[in-house]
Amino acid sequence: MNIAVLLKQVPDTTAKITISNGKVDENNVSKWSMSPYDEYALESGLQLKEVTGGSLIAITCGPERTKKMLTDAAAVGADKLIHISEDKVLDSTQVQKLLAATVEKSGAEVVLCGKQAADTNSGSTGPGVAEILNAVCVSMVSEVSINENNFISTRPSNSGAEKVSSNGISVFTFDKGISELRRPNVRGIMMAKKKTIETIKPEEIGLEIENSDRITLQSQNSPPEKEPGQIFEGVENIPEIVSKLRNEANVI
Amino acid sequence: MKFTVIAETNEDLLHPTVYQLIGAISKIGAETTVICPNGKGSSEASKIKGVEKVISVNGDCFHLFDGSAWSTAINSVCEGTIVISASPNGREIGAMIAAKRDIPIIQDVTAISAGIEVTRPIYSGKATETLLINGDSVITLRPNAFENAELGNEAPISIVDQTSDLKISIIEAIGKASERLDVTEAEIIISGGRGMGSIDNFSHLESMADTLGAAVGASRAVVDEWGMPHRMQVGQTGKTVSPSLYIAVGISGAIQHLAGMRSSKYILAINKDPDAPIFTVADYGIVASWEDALPILKSELMKL
Amino acid sequence: MGYEALDFYEVDSLLSDEERMVRDMVRDWVDKEVIPNIENACREGVFPDEWRAALGEMGVLGAPLKGYDCPGLSYTAYGVICRELERGDSGLRSFASVQGSLAMYPIWDFGSEEQKNHYLPKMTSGEWIGCFGLTEPDYGSNPGDMITRAEEMDDHYLLNGAKMWITNGTIADLAVVWAKLNGVIRGFIVEKNDPGFSAPEMKGKHSLKASVTSELVFQDCKIPKDRILPGVKGLRGPFSCLNNARFGISWGAVGAAQSCFHSAKDYAMSRIQFDHPIASYQLVQNKLAWMLREITKAQLLAYHLGKMKDVGEWIPEHISLAKMNNVDVALEIARVARDIHGANGILDEYPVMRHMANLESVKTYEGTHDIHNLILGRHITGIQSFTREI
Ligand SMILES: Cc1cc2nc3c(=O)[nH]c(=O)nc-3n(C[C@H](O)[C@H](O)[C@H](O)COP(=O)(O)OP(=O)(O)OC[C@H]3O[C@@H](n4cnc5c(N)ncnc54)[C@H](O)[C@@H]3O)c2cc1C
Ligand SMILES: Cc1cc2nc3c(=O)[nH]c(=O)nc-3n(C[C@H](O)[C@H](O)[C@H](O)COP(=O)(O)OP(=O)(O)OC[C@H]3O[C@@H](n4cnc5c(N)ncnc54)[C@H](O)[C@@H]3O)c2cc1C
């Protein structure tokens, strides 16, 4: 079975984000990494491949720098690397179309990705790609296995978790998985270096992509400064504090 | 400009966030259609100010969550700008409807103004961005970031029968794992220090953690002296954490402790000593003994 | 928090993609598995077996060797590996240096085809641990006068003598032992169960506590005839091993220094005395700036030496200079970092005192600091001053 894993390169979660002239300064990002949930998708894809055979196709859409992440994926076992190269400003639906068309072309029967990427934190990609492919979509899964012709995945439910069965082309978006992520090794790294990255232009998969004018970025900013701390004597203000934590801070 | 809100429910009631979605739309001077999947909460929705009409979409597919089937059924009655809660299910349905309609989606919006202009956090809150939307779109709103709409309306309710084939089935329900969250993973951490008096008193923190879905952490003093497991230790020689909310109870706030938790988004400290250094990093401080403060805090939290 | 290595001149930007991937792999592993466990390992005085397994799985043992399942990386990559390991602990790097440069390398360079096929795959995978026996109780800097002897018998060699200060000795499956056969230094492979061979551990070290150091004792130790390394005679044998290990040390020392700098900087920024962070005082800034300066120079030195090794244009004196300089500055940086930490600096909560104590060994082994001075002195003047008539 061919397995597609959709990967996104994002600023490492430990990297500082700086703003200059109303935009996040990407040149100032000290380290780019594979988005954390995507790592679980990749790990799970590798495990599926070990059971079913076939090849694991790592797909990304983004600037040149993202190729490094594909090579990282190859170092742990990705067989085919596809880079969708498009310099235009894309909105989420355009990206999904490119990814979906690439998945289709690759002949993959199952698509794994992270539940959301650590930059936009959106979580639109998996469901959107599933929709375009007319595929099954199960979100926030922690594991996927295959039983005869069915995929069995585990996702959260109100009462804890539930096992979901699906068949046919399926998209799974990953939360933190239950498996330890595998480490690369030197052999994998040396093989990865030799692996070619296939570059796909939108035209080659029959898509005309225009600069999106449906969304205009007005500005990017640093988060608002927190207010200075407020210290209250005694317990009278606890209700007020709880309501602030909920309504202003939004943390409970 | 037309708006459609897709309502999520909690058992048979509207999820509280629905009031916020409608409130946000009212704030920019618009009314909205509310779609209630399987009719749940429709009469409640019709009473909310700012609702133009309610459509209850009835179908078999709503018995279990399958984003694909739900979005297919719901999409048939959506119009204009579609607004949903940025809950996991909301995000999924939203993304699918956006793909079906070939319109953009903006997730996790925390502010909205006419135009439509929206703001959302990016890079896990390390920055925000403001976007101008041209034409129809799907927008998911972050829960609790908007004011509730009020009751006081009598909007018409119509019923549409519209189902779609489920593509998945549930084969097994698994109970909640009783294992407590690890401090490095939790969104909320409640830590106790030597001020808790004894290890037995940690049960108060644990029960509050259960209410909040939080992890329990500890200061080094407690780990070293009372034998709490080291994996719970927060600080320079323990775990470095950055949850959305860190609650420090009976912890003085030694520099080595602060090193592990000062990057938390919000810090709430409870300490009976007004000069405890923990208050220098706290967003909210309660100068009181935990014996007095915890019961009230817990009952306030239970009210939510 | 992710570790951001001090790299002021972005020397790592000169690495190849492959070298950077290897760096990230090892760095990640050190962060996740070594740093959280190192103090425990030191306290218990053990080299954790999981580390041996992980080094084998990552495929970094014998990094620059080619063939026989060995990694076949560049010398620069080998240096990078040593640096990342020693950022964790010099004992960990010692393990890898001994396995790769001192035990695998002589078999790879001077062994028979059968020896290479037999030993190297299992050593690069970490399954078999090797050690290197050169130093003796009475012959350290002057190994040429060693006492350990081999006698050729009908169907075996007979070894007699003792080696001391042997890293990995007690946990090793095999030892590459240098001994005199008819007055000429030769290399022999001794296996742990060979009759007459024992390797008791030396206890009580204040340094390299997570590394095993042992004596090797040979009492009429019998080894089969096919265990002599056929390809080398004389001191050239052990010295060519040492060249590779010393090269790795010149990189490793940078890692230890980076770790000390990192800790000192963080501490100075958060420690408040006289109302301000101590990092705001000029004396402290002077120390940090000096560390930055020396680490940057050491990095450039190591990097350039790596390139020279990779193209094969180097002389042993180049390596002497780098080993001597980089360990010297790393040790001084560790001491200054310890000072910046105040009393906290003596605790095992911070890495600085551990690095400091470790580096004392590193300064001594693989040619003491002053022996390298003498090597350079001889190079400059053409006059050897190791010994003279008294
Ligand atoms: C190298 C090093 C590393 C260290 N690493 C860590 C680390 O990783 N993590 C860590 O936590 N510490 C660490 N420490 C220890 C640290 O310095 C402090 O000793 C420790 O954090 C103190 O724990 P505490 O706040 O629980 O106790 P205390 O400092 O004793 O504080 C107890 C607090 O409880 C308050 N209190 C008492 N009774 C009540 C009551 N009934 N209700 C409310 N408040 C009450 C008191 O006012 C006081 O502020 C480290 C120290 C060193 C030297
Ligand atoms: C932790 C540890 C691990 C080791 N691992 C190994 C191993 O795996 N295998 C192995 O074979 N050896 C190993 N060694 C031994 C190491 O290589 C020797 O300790 C080193 O060569 C120095 O020898 P020595 O200790 O006998 O010191 P000495 O040679 O006695 O030197 C003592 C001092 O005298 C100085 N000195 C000596 N000669 C001169 C001179 N001519 N002029 C001026 N000064 C001089 C030295 O610089 C030094 O300062 C290890 C040592 C340590 C501490």
Side-chain angles (χ1 to χ4, degrees), chain C residues 132 134-135 140-141 165-167 208 364-366 368 370 374 386:
Chain C
F132 172 88
L134 176 66
T135 306
S141 296
W165 298 109
I166 307 307
T167 304
L208 294 184
T364 287
Y365 70 29
E366 301 278 352
T368 69
D370 280 341
L374 300 185
F386 297 97

Side-chain angles (χ1 to χ4, degrees), chain A residues 109-170:
Chain A
E109 292 162 67
V110 57
V111 182
L112 310 177
C113 63
K115 71 166 179 177
Q116 58 192 47
D119 50 358
T120 60
N121 301 109
S122 284
S124 307
T125 305
V129 167
E131 178 58 42
I132 297 167
L133 292 173
N134 197 20
V136 182
C137 180
V138 188
S139 292
M140 310 218 350
V141 304
S142 54
E143 58 175 322
V144 174
S145 60
I146 195 157
N147 182 5
E148 283 161 20
N149 284 324
N150 295 325
F151 293 108
I152 311 292
S153 56
T154 307
R155 70 174 184 188
S157 70
N158 284 338
S159 57
E162 58 196 15
K163 279 199 182 340
V164 174
S165 168
S166 60
N167 61 39
I169 295 197
S170 298

Side-chain angles (χ1 to χ4, degrees), chain B residues 239-255:
Chain B
K239 300 278 168 64
T240 302
V241 299
S242 45
S244 329
L245 175 61
Y246 188 88
I247 307 179
V249 188
I251 292 180
S252 59
I255 190 162

Side-chain angles (χ1 to χ4, degrees), chain A residues 4 31 92 94-95 100 102 218 224 228:
Chain A
K31 186 176 176 196
S92 55
Q94 291 171 321
V95 174
T102 308
Q218 305 288 83

